[in-house]
Amino acid sequence: MAGVLNIHNFPLLHSVPGSRKTPMKSIPTIRATSETPTSSTSTSTSTSTSFTAPPNFEPPEPKRFAVRPDKTWDIIGASLALIFRLGTGVFVNGYSVSFVSKDAIPPDQYCLEVAGYKVKETSKLGPRPEKPIEIYEFEGCPFCRKVREIVAVLDLDVLFYPCPKNGPNFRPKVAQMGGKQQFPYMVDPNTGTAMYESDDIIKYLVQKYGDGSIPFTLSLGLLTTLTEGFAMIGRMGKGSSYTPSKLPPKPLELWAYEGSPFCKIVREVLVELELPHIFRSCARGSPKRQILFEKAGHFQAPYIEDPNTGVQMFESAEIVEYLKVTYASS
């Protein structure tokens, strides 16, 4: 049966043309990549430390849209960003949704079901980078949030190097590579391009991996920056300051997206513990939702894979506890 509702060019993602591409600073080699152990760019503390799952650890069963009581206010605070940012970071570029009959989508395909119909979601992706983009940033920074939002819109995979205040590893690395500790700082190992300045990074990414247009909600200059700042009010600086930790030899892998309050509280802890992680962005309309559905037999974000311990798990509250027990210095 044909869809009873079809929404094209989702209004929150209407865009304006990006400005002319500015010349980018090129660097010959970047050692901090997902193919190289993160210890090559960090202190030597990780080389003698082995990591295992906590004793008697059992991954929790995923519970869709459930909030653990002790995390209620964390989720409410993180949800304020959806209001201030009008949902930016929830949908992939060109997001389109339609309702179709149940038999129109096979059971081995990810989709939502509503009122007896299945929800078909699509998007329009640009060229895909061969290697993850590398971004040095931290959660409590409105300029960094702007870049994380375009990562969600473009459905990019990113290797994040967290740079919380007083972090001993990657803040100095940024100064070494670019000459100053300013964030966000982006490195594209696919082109050898490196740059500061959130607006320049956004322009570069939409021109290289999108359709060349900047989403309207990211094109408003000072108003964009102000609303990015307001979006973080509910988290009171979480994800900004370093918590002493043990640096693992391999980056963790996080399936998440910027617009999700459940993903937000996990990202905050990853940043505070200064844990590098490959971010598999999977906002609404992302084809990676199907990939995770096939991998784990279920789709829900966040989902974390830790190659250092072999742990794979859903559920944000339990992921936070796992990260603290495994990587925070005792």
Side-chain angles (χ1 to χ4, degrees):
M1 184 177 72
V4 296
L5 177 64
N6 197 359
I7 304 173
H8 293 288
N9 297 323
F10 196 81
L12 291 180
L13 297 181
H14 283 180
S15 54
V16 298
S19 60
R20 180 174 57 86
K21 183 177 179 180
T22 54
M24 307 303 179
K25 175 183 174 184
S26 295
I27 56 178
T29 57
I30 297 297
R31 298 203 310 160
T33 69
S34 56
E35 287 80 17
T36 303
T38 56
S39 57
S40 68
T41 67
S42 61
T43 62
S44 60
T45 57
S46 65
T47 58
S48 59
T49 303
S50 61
F51 296 92
T52 59
N56 303 316
F57 174 81
E58 290 289 340
E61 290 295 323
K63 299 177 286 292
R64 189 181 297 273
F65 304 124
V67 180
R68 210 172 72 179
D70 62 317
K71 294 295 182 182
T72 299
W73 287 110
D74 288 316
I75 298 302
I76 291 174
S79 298
L80 292 178
L82 295 170
I83 300 172
F84 287 113
R85 294 297 301 141
L86 301 178
T88 308
V90 174
F91 305 97
V92 176
N93 188 49
Y95 179 78
S96 175
V97 59
S98 58
F99 290 80
V100 299
S101 61
K102 281 189 174 182
D103 58 359
I105 299 177
D108 61 349
Q109 296 292 310
Y110 163 77
C111 70
L112 296 176
E113 291 191 27
V114 178
Y117 292 93
K118 287 189 174 181
V119 181
K120 183 178 181 180
E121 300 172 285
T122 59
S123 58
K124 298 178 181 178
L125 301 182
R128 302 291 83 190
E130 181 181 346
K131 299 177 182 179
I133 309 300
E134 299 169 12
I135 299 179
Y136 297 73
E137 54 84 57
F138 62 100
E139 273 289 330
C141 166
F143 302 99
C144 299
R145 184 183 171 92
K146 289 164 63 176
V147 172
R148 294 195 305 269
E149 286 180 350
I150 200 63
V151 164
V153 171
L154 298 178
D155 198 41
L156 297 175
D157 287 347
V158 170
L159 175 53
F160 278 118
Y161 287 102
C163 299
K165 296 174 184 176
N166 301 317
N169 297 301
F170 303 118
R171 278 189 171 241
K173 183 66 180 179
V174 169
Q176 176 186 341
M177 292 190 298
K180 55 184 175 181
Q181 288 191 19
Q182 179 178 307
F183 306 94
Y185 182 72
M186 183 208 74
V187 174
D188 186 348
N190 303 282
T191 64
T193 299
M195 61 174 55
Y196 295 99
E197 298 297 339
S198 57
D199 287 340
D200 289 339
I201 293 171
I202 290 170
K203 291 174 186 176
Y204 171 82
L205 291 176
V206 299
Q207 290 168 0
K208 191 72 178 175
Y209 303 113
D211 61 7
S213 297
I214 299 172
F216 176 73
T217 52
L218 285 167
S219 68
L220 302 176
L222 179 59
L223 181 59
T224 293
T225 303
L226 288 174
T227 56
E228 298 285 13
F230 293 149
M232 297 185 292
I233 289 175
R235 298 307 295 139
M236 303 294 289
K238 295 286 186 179
S240 296
S241 298
Y242 176 65
T243 297
S245 64
K246 298 165 287 187
L247 194 64
K250 298 178 182 179
L252 284 69
E253 190 165 340
L254 178 67
W255 299 71
Y257 59 104
E258 180 60 25
S260 165
F262 297 94
C263 299
K264 179 61 57 181
I265 65 173
V266 172
R267 266 274 305 168
E268 288 169 351
V269 174
L270 285 168
V271 171
E272 290 169 354
L273 295 175
E274 207 182 23
L275 299 176
H277 52 284
I278 299 173
F279 190 88
R280 305 293 187 192
S281 186
C282 50
R284 300 222 69 93
S286 170
K288 281 175 280 192
R289 292 190 167 219
Q290 175 63 26
I291 296 173
L292 180 55
F293 182 80
E294 294 174 359
K295 175 193 285 279
H298 177 77
F299 176 82
Q300 185 175 308
Y303 177 77
I304 200 162
E305 298 177 274
D306 188 344
N308 304 288
T309 64
V311 165
Q312 301 175 349
M313 62 188 297
F314 294 101
E315 291 301 321
S316 58
E318 285 79 3
I319 292 174
V320 166
E321 291 176 347
Y322 164 78
L323 293 173
K324 290 180 178 179
V325 168
T326 305
Y327 292 108
S329 296
S330 56

